[in-house]
Amino acid sequence: MVVQNELRTAMEASREDLIEVLAQYQAVPVVDDGQEVSSLLGGRTNTEFKLEEPGGVETTDRQTRQEVLEHLGVEDEQDLEPVQEEIKNHQAWGEKV
C-alpha cells in the first residue's frame, strides 16, 4: 500500500523519485471509470484518474492523487500509456508489494 508521505517526499525530490516510489508499490495511474465529473460549462465531462495498486486498491486522497498526476504530466487519457510504461518498466517494480 503506497504511503502518501512517500509520494510527497518523492515529488519534492524529482519526477524520477516519484516514478520509483510508484513502481515499488505497483501504483499506476488509470482512468477511473466509476467517476465522471461534469464540467460547469456545456455539460461536458472531464476524465477522472486514480492511482491503482494491485487488487484495484486506491490509497491516496484526491489532493495527493491530483498532485501526483500533475507532477507526472498526466492531463488526459493520451498521457497515460507512456507514464504507465515508465512505471511498469522501472527496475524497482514491485519491491514493496
Side-chain angles (χ1 to χ4, degrees):
M1 187 183 297
V2 70
V3 180
Q4 289 188 164
N5 288 342
E6 286 184 76
L7 290 173
R8 291 194 180 284
T9 300
M11 283 188 285
E12 289 172 8
S14 68
R15 185 179 187 281
E16 291 75 25
D17 285 0
L18 177 58
I19 293 289
E20 182 175 349
V21 169
L22 293 170
Q24 289 172 343
Y25 290 99
Q26 295 181 347
V28 181
V30 296
V31 173
D32 187 353
D33 293 325
Q35 295 289 327
E36 276 195 1
V37 179
S38 296
S39 68
L40 297 175
L41 303 172
R44 286 192 341 227
T45 57
N46 297 322
T47 304
E48 286 290 309
F49 302 100
K50 63 182 179 178
L51 291 176
E52 188 172 81
E53 296 179 51
V57 175
E58 184 185 6
T59 58
T60 57
D61 63 39
R62 182 180 176 97
Q63 180 179 350
T64 302
R65 179 180 63 239
Q66 286 305 118
E67 289 174 14
V68 167
L69 292 168
E70 287 173 15
H71 205 76
L72 294 172
V74 175
E75 294 180 12
D76 56 37
E77 286 185 63
Q78 296 163 343
D79 299 329
L80 278 181
E81 190 173 344
V83 171
Q84 290 170 336
E85 291 302 314
E86 190 175 358
I87 294 168
K88 290 177 181 178
N89 292 326
H90 194 281
Q91 64 186 13
W93 179 256
E95 284 182 359
K96 294 188 178 182
V97 175

